[in-house]
């Protein structure tokens, strides 16, 4: 009888541990219960070209630009920025939302995270692969200011 109780006790303790782990995971990973350090993701576009983009340390931001492929251009996969201030998390090419529009090649999204306070230039260039003697054009250029 004692063995049976100890097995039940162990199973009960294990069940409680699993329950606590799952429940705490739901709280800390669920957007309904955001962490205190989580900040909303800011989204920037061509409208902010030439401006100062304001973000906070550890805040993520997204830069969305039209895909320049219609003119035969290929955008830089890795933009120019200060790696001490910003981190490029990923770059994605998105298909057009409306596939029947001519000349619409979709968009390109660069996902960044601000590392620490400071100012960084952010420049994205594009070039045509067959124009070796031409300098790349500037698709987007702005300053990113990271402050509390």
């Amino acid at each position: 009888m004692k063995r049976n109780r100890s097995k039940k006790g162990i199973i009960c303790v294990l069940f409680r541990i699993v329950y606590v782990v799952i429940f705490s995971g739901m709280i800390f990973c669920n957007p309904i219960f955001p962490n205190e350090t989580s900040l909303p993701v800011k989204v920037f576009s061509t409208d902010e070209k030439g401006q100062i983009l304001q973000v906070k340390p550890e805040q993520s931001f997204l830069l969305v630009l039209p895909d320049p492929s219609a003119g035969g251009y290929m955008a830089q996969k890795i933009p120019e920025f200060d790696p001490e201030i910003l981190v490029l998390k990923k770059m994605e090419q998105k298909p057009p939302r409306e596939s029947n529009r001519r000349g619409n090649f979709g968009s390109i999204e660069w996902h960044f995270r601000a590392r620490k306070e400071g100012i960084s230039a952010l420049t994205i260039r594009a070039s045509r692969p067959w124009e070796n003697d031409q300098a790349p054009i500037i698709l987007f250029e702005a300053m990113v200011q990271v402050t509390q």
Side-chain angles (χ1 to χ4, degrees):
M1 214 33 137
K2 242 182 176 184
R3 265 188 153 173
N4 225 1
R5 283 186 186 173
S6 67
K7 279 184 182 179
K8 284 183 181 179
I10 291 172
I11 290 172
C12 189
V13 168
L14 288 174
F15 179 78
R16 286 180 182 166
I17 290 171
V18 169
Y19 179 78
V20 168
V21 169
I22 290 173
F23 185 73
S24 64
M26 288 170 49
I27 288 176
F28 294 115
C29 298
N30 192 332
I32 295 171
F33 304 106
N35 297 334
E36 289 179 31
T37 59
S38 69
L39 297 166
V41 175
K42 285 194 168 185
V43 180
F44 300 110
S45 66
T46 53
D47 295 340
E48 285 81 25
K49 189 175 185 178
Q51 296 184 14
I52 297 174
L53 313 179
Q54 303 265 342
V55 293
K56 296 180 187 277
E58 299 302 319
Q59 185 171 23
S60 294
F61 67 94
L62 182 64
L63 176 61
V64 181
L65 300 177
D67 188 334
S69 299
Y73 287 95
M74 292 182 67
Q76 276 180 317
K77 298 216 183 285
I78 301 176
E80 299 164 27
F81 59 91
D82 184 345
E84 293 288 318
I85 307 295
L86 303 175
V87 176
L88 177 63
K89 309 261 304 179
K90 67 179 175 178
M91 177 255 205
E92 291 182 289
Q93 290 191 276
K94 300 282 188 165
R97 290 186 183 164
E98 299 173 27
S99 59
N100 59 352
R101 291 185 57 192
R102 289 177 161 232
N104 182 358
F105 284 79
S107 62
I108 302 176
E109 298 179 357
W110 287 268
H111 300 255
F112 289 92
R113 183 178 54 80
R115 212 176 231 174
K116 64 179 187 177
E117 287 193 30
I119 296 176
S120 173
L122 175 59
T123 305
I124 298 176
R125 299 177 192 275
S127 60
R128 291 179 171 146
W130 64 89
E131 293 182 342
N132 295 330
D133 57 337
Q134 297 291 319
I137 63 167
I138 295 176
L139 282 182
F140 184 86
E141 191 169 41
M143 297 300 288
V144 180
Q145 184 174 22
V146 183
T147 58
Q148 288 290 344

